[in-house]
């Protein structure tokens, strides 16, 4: 079978990116037919926080949580996309349909990376159709540019569903069922269809896992044989160490009607890997990703799995000092300055992508307030480092800014599970 001119093997590898029923068949043909564990009969045993995934994910020998290998983002609007305050608001019957569809997935698949993990989030524009406003305990601004040198488009779909699993077939099957293209999921009845209430707009896909980017180096913008075999991400380094991630508690909203929820930022980023791999030496890449001291002391072996449970970025010299003395500042080094009382404030669950047949990354992060994301992104801009040294520019020698372009940004509220179906603002 050839699909869009590619071999059967490549088709199975790219199945999540391609999507649809024939991609699902290709996955199953490839041997992905081991039984998939099903979910609990009693759904009240599931966590009330939609973002409580860590307990259900595997950890490595250092206690680092491993994010699922495959990811899917489904964007939906409640109506025709023309909503303003006072426009149509969801009915209780529609809430029930959404909840039934989500519960069907929970019954069908174990809450794990071998089964399925998912969240549903809502944008500011979704809530603006109501007369009431969101409570003060929720910080959910419309998305905007966060650096003087970027001009992203705003993602303002009403809702986004983030699905994640180690099994491509699970994502494809769940998507087909939500869209009404199949009646069962993991041999269980799909009791409702999301697309009966919501208008599907767009899908985005990706992956994060050792070896997956190297296997997917046949898209535009990836130099041949450049991506290391042991790297979970295209830029060649591992990310998401236990010591450098916020806890789920830290990102949880503590008060008000959305107590137990969180906020999600999702940006679509294009990566410039030709520059990254062909213009810089490995030592420069380590300086720019971590900090110059990591490069000088040869602290990072391969993709950096040897670092253990923390990147060590908070122990790097002050970034402004490095800007003056080394003429380079590191990405992790700058971002660590946004911590609060020494502890990270953002929980990153980002993943690489071949969407648009280009190397990219969907930067998905959870934080109690979108303001925590904005503050971290300001730290990443490294304006103070650029002002302190002529060698550091707005993007040049300034972490990884030169190697990425933010194309789109979106902000969402992930309500607690009980309020996840078309929530009211209060
Ligand atoms: C474009 C692709 C990106 C790649 C490949 C990447 C990679 C990395 C790596 C390798 C680390 C060090 C290891 C770790 O701490 O997990 C790190 C740290 C970090 N990155 Fe990124 N990153 C990217 C974009 C971003 C963006 C857009 C943000 C948003 C502001 C961000 C926020 C952070 C934070 C908060 C840390 C941890 C800082 C701390 O230790 O407190 N990263 N990143």
């Amino acid at each position: 079978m050839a699909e869009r001119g590619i071999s059967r093997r490549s088709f199975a590898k790219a199945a999540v990116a391609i999507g649809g029923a024939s991609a699902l068949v290709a996955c199953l043909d490839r041997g992905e037919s081991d039984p998939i564990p099903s979910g609990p009969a009693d759904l009240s045993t599931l966590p009330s926080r939609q973002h409580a995934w860590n307990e259900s994910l595997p950890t490595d020998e250092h206690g680092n949580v491993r994010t699922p290998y495959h990811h899917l983002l489904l964007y939906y609007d409640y109506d025709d996309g023309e909503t303003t305050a006072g426009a149509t608001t969801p009915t209780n019957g529609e809430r029930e349909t959404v909840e039934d569809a989500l519960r069907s997935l929970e019954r069908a698949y174990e809450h794990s990376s071998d089964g399925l993990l998912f969240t549903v989030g809502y944008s500011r524009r979704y809530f603006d159709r109501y007369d009431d406003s969101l409570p003060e305990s929720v910080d959910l601004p419309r998305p905007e540019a966060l650096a003087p040198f970027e001009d992203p488009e705003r993602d303002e779909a009403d809702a986004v569903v983030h699905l994640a699993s180690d099994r491509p077939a699970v994502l494809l099957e769940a998507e087909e069922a939500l869209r009404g293209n199949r009646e069962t999921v993991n041999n269980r009845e799909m009791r409702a269809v999301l697309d009966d209430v919501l208008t599907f707009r767009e899908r985005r896909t990706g992956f994060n896992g050792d070896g997956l980017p190297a296997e997917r180096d046949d898209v535009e913008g990836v130099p041949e044989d450049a991506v290391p075999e042991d790297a979970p991400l295209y830029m060649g380094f591992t990310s998401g160490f236990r010591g450098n991630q916020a806890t789920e508690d830290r990102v949880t909203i503590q008060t008000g009607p959305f107590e137990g929820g969180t906020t999600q930022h999702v940006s679509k980023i294009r990566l410039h890997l030709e520059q990254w791999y062909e213009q810089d030496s490995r030592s420069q890449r380590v300086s720019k990703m971590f900090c110059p001291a990591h490069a000088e002391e040869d602290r990072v072996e391969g993709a950096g799995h040897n670092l253990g449970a923390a990147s060590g970025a908070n122990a790097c010299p002050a970034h402004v000092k490095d800007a003056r003395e080394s003429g380079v500042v590191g990405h992790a080094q700058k971002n660590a300055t946004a911590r609060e009382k020494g502890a990270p404030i953002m929980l990153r669950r980002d993943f690489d992508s071949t969407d648009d047949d280009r190397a990219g990354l969907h930067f998905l992060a959870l934080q109690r307030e979108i303001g925590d994301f904005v503050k971290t992104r300001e730290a990443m801009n490294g304006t103070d480092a650029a002002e302190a040294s002529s060698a550091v520019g707005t993007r040049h020698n300034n972490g990884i800014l030169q190697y990425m372009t933010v194309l789109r940004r979106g902000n969402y509220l992930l309500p607690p599970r009980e309020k996840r179906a078309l929530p009211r603002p209060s």
Side-chain angles (χ1 to χ4, degrees):
M1 175 180 64
E3 229 11 73
R4 286 160 59 183
I6 60 177
S7 72
R8 189 186 183 91
R9 193 177 171 280
S10 311
F11 185 57
K13 184 183 76 186
V16 178
I18 294 167
S22 45
L24 176 56
V25 171
C27 273
L28 297 170
D29 275 5
R30 204 193 183 191
E32 250 211 70
S33 49
D34 289 349
I36 297 162
S38 49
D42 178 4
L43 296 183
S44 69
T45 56
L46 294 173
S48 150
R49 296 174 180 179
Q50 291 198 71
H51 58 290
W53 290 12
N54 286 359
E55 283 281 308
S56 301
L57 288 171
T59 46
D60 67 13
E61 72 268 34
H62 307 288
N64 299 314
V65 172
R66 180 178 64 70
T67 185
Y69 291 140
H70 301 284
H71 297 257
L72 180 59
L73 294 167
L74 301 177
Y75 289 82
Y76 283 97
D77 279 327
Y78 171 65
D79 51 19
D80 58 7
E82 297 300 321
T83 51
T84 47
T88 326
T89 53
T91 63
N92 283 342
E94 290 169 330
R95 286 195 180 93
E96 246 169 68
T97 302
V98 169
E99 187 58 24
D100 281 350
L102 301 178
R103 282 174 182 243
S104 299
L105 295 184
E106 287 171 333
R107 272 187 219 100
Y109 303 109
E110 183 180 80
H111 189 263
S112 74
S113 48
D114 209 24
L116 176 71
L117 295 167
F118 69 86
T119 61
V120 191
Y122 298 88
S123 67
R124 177 62 192 240
R125 209 202 59 160
Y126 165 81
F127 287 106
D128 281 349
R129 61 171 42 77
Y130 289 93
D131 293 333
D132 289 345
S133 5
L134 280 166
E136 272 182 22
S137 50
V138 172
D139 172 35
L140 183 71
R142 294 181 69 198
E144 52 184 31
L146 295 178
F149 48 83
E150 68 173 34
D151 186 20
E153 284 191 47
R154 296 176 202 232
D155 278 328
E156 299 205 86
D158 284 322
V160 62
V161 185
H162 173 205
L163 301 132
S165 174
D166 284 352
R167 318 266 296 253
V170 168
L171 295 187
L172 292 168
E173 190 183 62
E175 177 185 14
E176 288 294 288
L178 287 174
R179 313 232 16 227
N181 297 334
R182 54 180 297 133
E183 288 169 7
T184 59
V185 268
N186 205 14
N187 301 319
R188 280 177 178 67
E189 185 200 356
M190 189 72 188
R191 295 193 188 166
V193 170
L194 211 52
D195 286 35
D196 283 348
V197 173
L198 299 172
T199 308
F200 173 77
R201 293 290 180 211
E202 191 185 342
R203 69 197 297 278
R204 297 184 197 165
T205 67
F207 48 87
N208 182 343
D210 296 354
L212 297 179
E215 228 184 65
R216 287 161 178 74
D217 66 355
D218 49 357
V219 290
E220 205 181 315
V222 189
E224 218 178 319
D225 297 328
V227 181
E229 294 289 334
D230 64 337
L233 291 169
Y234 272 132
M235 291 187 82
F237 297 108
T238 187
S239 167
F241 296 103
R242 182 160 55 97
N244 305 84
Q245 288 277 49
T247 59
E248 287 176 350
D249 280 346
R250 175 61 183 84
V251 304
T252 300
I253 296 169
Q254 301 293 315
T255 54
F258 292 101
E259 180 183 340
T262 186
T263 73
Q264 183 186 60
H265 179 86
V266 187
S267 40
K268 177 173 175 173
I269 296 176
R270 177 150 302 154
L271 297 175
H272 308 300
L273 298 174
E274 271 143 3
Q275 265 175 291
W276 178 243
Y277 284 108
E278 287 167 4
Q279 161 196 300
D280 282 347
S281 66
R282 169 163 171 97
S283 164
Q284 284 168 316
R285 287 197 292 276
V286 172
S287 292
K288 290 178 181 180
M289 186 61 85
F290 295 91
C291 73
H294 273 49
E296 278 151 33
E297 293 159 20
D298 244 343
R299 294 195 56 197
V300 186
E301 290 167 20
H305 294 291
N306 68 304
L307 293 169
S311 73
N314 52 327
C316 292
H319 66 288
V320 172
K321 183 168 174 277
D322 260 353
R324 284 200 199 97
E325 291 171 13
S326 312
V328 182
V329 286
H331 166 72
Q333 176 184 29
K334 283 182 293 176
N335 282 336
T337 64
R339 292 179 176 198
E340 212 169 80
K341 296 186 188 142
I345 57 175
M346 265 172 52
L347 176 53
R348 293 164 284 139
R349 288 182 175 153
D350 53 296
F351 45 91
D352 275 341
S353 179
T354 56
D355 287 352
D356 312 324
D357 293 321
R358 306 277 294 257
L361 175 130
H362 296 297
F363 192 82
L364 188 156
L366 305 176
Q367 48 284 310
R368 189 174 295 162
E369 302 178 355
I370 291 297
D372 290 334
F373 179 82
V374 173
K375 176 179 156 195
T376 311
R377 177 58 217 220
E378 273 165 12
M380 182 170 159
N381 285 344
T383 314
D384 44 2
E387 279 164 6
S389 158
S390 57
V392 178
T394 25
R395 301 178 72 199
H396 186 69
N397 288 335
N398 199 337
I400 56 174
L401 292 172
Q402 205 189 340
Y403 311 95
M404 51 176 271
T405 303
V406 178
L407 303 176
R408 314 191 65 105
R409 290 191 179 283
N411 295 329
Y412 310 91
L413 169 67
L414 310 190
R417 187 169 168 275
E418 318 79 80
K419 296 185 179 168
R420 66 185 169 178
L422 301 171
R424 297 179 184 85
S426 52

